Amino acid sequence: MSGQRSWLAVAIVAGLHVDARRAAVEEILHTVPGSVALHHDLTSAVDGTVHRTVRACDGLLSSGDAPLVNDCACCALREDLVPELLRLASEGGCRLAVVELWDSVEPQAMAAVIAGAGAPLVLTGVVTAVDPALVLPYLSNGDDLTEVGLAAAPNDQRTVGDTFARQLEYPTLIALAEEGSCGEDVVCADDADHALLDQLTPGARKVPGASGELGAALFAGFDVTAAAARVHPACALLPQECDEHGVSTFVWRGERPFHPGRLFTALEDLTCAAARSRGRFWLADRPDTLLSWDAAGGALCVQPAGPWLAALPDAAWEMVPAERRLAASVAWHPEHGDRCQYLTFTSPGLDRDGLSALLDSCLLTDEEYAAGRDRWTQLSHAFDNLLDPVTP
């Protein structure tokens, strides 16, 4: 048909805060003409299927079931999502397809699926819907998703806290739940709640609920490559120093490597010191490995994130994303290159001095540092079981 749109705008709405997410989707459907919402309900996975619905502002358009893939509800979502979006594109008449993700599904994985499909699908926006009053309770929740019925796969080992943190930190938009009159059974967000959310999401635009701004904001465009770089341990956009309304962000940096034994002993205290902490670090016995630090809800995930750039031959640098080369060049050390300690801690009631003293005590002493790299690699390999688990 002449003049028919040759592409379909697709936006993702994510969030563990179900009421806030649903309200955001309803606002979009009622303010963007020609918009539809596509949702895969993973709660039906126990019966062997994932239930799909497509609806507009005036009601349900279609529904169906997608079979599990490899006994994995999230895998079924991936397999069914793109064909359903392509069907909407081919039928025409749809201006915006809103993919409302189920509770614990993280937007980064789905954004990659949609962007990877190519034309006629164009990912134009990613938003996480949030109730500011629930940020701290969810971030501090160390329950496994399996324990609370929110696991997306049989082997899902995520917790509520770390899942919520990643949902917050990936998108460029945060949709705030509307704050109406607060009754006795409703907890309203205060200044501290908003300060915590702001410190956790640097650079993200906050869109107030029921403002009518969300629909238009989701057409601004979304760069999947830039978003991935923004959360990658090697070049992540981390929170900056801040202290507001009783909520603080402490940024700790160091040049020397950590003593593996002393850091391992301090892990529990460091993990529980803040509602959210993240960053990158290096160990004396693994001087060429960039390690990521990701903690929320009292649970810590430490993982190898590839080599430091300084450990790579010059010829390999061309294969490294420009965002990472730029991040490394900002604080390049004449001896260590991009190897560094860069950790951020965000929480109400943060003990900055205590954290700083504990972290400093985990670095190599003058004598240990002067002994040189060959001696460093002979120190206790306290992280081996954590970083190199033995497969049974």
Side-chain angles (χ1 to χ4, degrees):
M1 180 183 299
S2 178
Q4 185 176 17
R5 183 186 296 272
S6 60
W7 54 274
L8 174 63
V10 181
I12 292 175
V13 180
L16 275 167
H17 296 170
V18 179
D19 290 343
R21 189 188 72 229
R22 289 174 178 168
V25 173
E26 287 301 320
E27 178 188 338
I28 298 166
L29 293 180
H30 282 84
T31 57
V32 179
S35 60
V36 300
L38 172 64
H39 178 60
H40 288 80
D41 188 345
L42 273 56
T43 56
S44 60
V46 293
D47 299 321
T49 60
V50 171
H51 187 61
R52 177 208 328 114
T53 58
V54 180
R55 60 192 176 89
C57 64
D58 54 355
L60 186 68
L61 298 177
S62 67
S63 64
D65 293 322
L68 291 192
V69 177
N70 300 322
D71 197 31
C72 169
C74 209
C75 300
L77 189 163
R78 291 190 184 94
E79 292 292 323
D80 189 66
L81 179 60
V82 169
E84 194 63 20
L85 289 172
L86 291 174
R87 181 187 67 79
L88 290 171
S90 66
E91 290 179 352
C94 178
R95 181 186 176 202
L96 174 68
V98 180
V99 177
E100 180 191 351
L101 298 181
W102 187 71
D103 304 27
S104 69
V105 178
E106 297 178 22
Q108 183 171 4
M110 294 304 109
V113 169
I114 295 168
L121 308 181
V122 179
L123 183 63
T124 59
V126 176
V127 60
T128 292
V130 175
D131 183 340
L134 298 178
V135 171
L136 183 58
Y138 273 66
L139 199 63
S140 304
N141 191 333
D143 291 343
D144 292 336
L145 292 179
T146 53
E147 296 175 357
V148 293
L150 293 176
N155 60 346
D156 197 337
Q157 297 180 344
R158 297 173 298 157
T159 67
V160 173
D162 63 44
T163 302
F164 179 62
R166 285 189 291 273
Q167 288 182 342
L168 279 181
E169 293 157 358
Y170 179 75
T172 52
L173 283 171
I174 301 293
L176 304 179
E178 183 178 8
E179 297 185 38
S181 58
C182 294
E184 293 181 359
D185 299 327
V186 179
V187 178
C188 282
D190 57 19
D191 289 339
D193 295 321
H194 286 280
L196 177 60
L197 180 59
D198 287 343
Q199 291 177 40
L200 290 170
T201 56
R205 177 185 172 189
K206 313 299 190 300
V207 181
S211 64
E213 301 175 22
L214 183 56
L218 287 174
F219 283 97
F222 189 81
D223 187 330
V224 174
T225 301
R230 193 170 55 249
V231 296
H232 190 281
C235 49
L237 177 62
L238 298 176
Q240 301 299 304
E241 283 276 354
C242 189
D243 190 349
E244 188 177 20
H245 300 296
V247 179
S248 299
T249 291
F250 171 58
V251 178
W252 182 83
R253 294 177 179 267
E255 294 179 350
R256 295 184 182 185
F258 279 125
H259 185 288
R262 289 199 295 274
L263 179 62
F264 191 83
T265 300
L267 285 183
E268 183 174 356
D269 289 338
L270 291 171
T271 301
C272 296
R276 176 64 169 151
S277 58
R278 53 194 291 234
R280 52 187 177 269
F281 68 101
W282 64 306
L283 295 171
D285 65 324
R286 294 171 178 255
D288 291 337
T289 303
L290 189 160
L291 297 168
S292 68
W293 177 289
D294 193 328
L300 170 67
C301 179
V302 170
Q303 290 183 319
W308 293 100
L309 291 189
L312 295 175
D314 293 345
W317 279 48
E318 292 301 319
M319 296 182 288
V320 176
E323 294 88 353
R324 180 168 178 194
R325 297 199 302 269
L326 177 61
S329 67
V330 171
W332 191 265
H333 188 276
E335 183 178 353
H336 305 313
D338 59 328
R339 298 180 183 92
C340 67
Q341 318 292 10
Y342 185 10
L343 301 176
T344 66
F345 298 81
T346 301
S347 187
L350 199 66
D351 180 6
R352 291 169 176 261
D353 293 340
L355 264 173
S356 182
L358 181 56
L359 288 163
D360 288 346
S361 72
C362 295
L363 295 173
L364 294 187
T365 63
D366 290 345
E367 182 179 355
E368 291 165 342
Y369 182 75
R373 180 165 168 154
D374 289 342
R375 291 290 299 275
W376 299 351
T377 57
Q378 297 173 22
L379 294 171
S380 64
H381 303 299
F383 280 76
D384 281 6
N385 288 338
L386 190 62
L387 297 173
D388 304 313
V390 177
T391 303

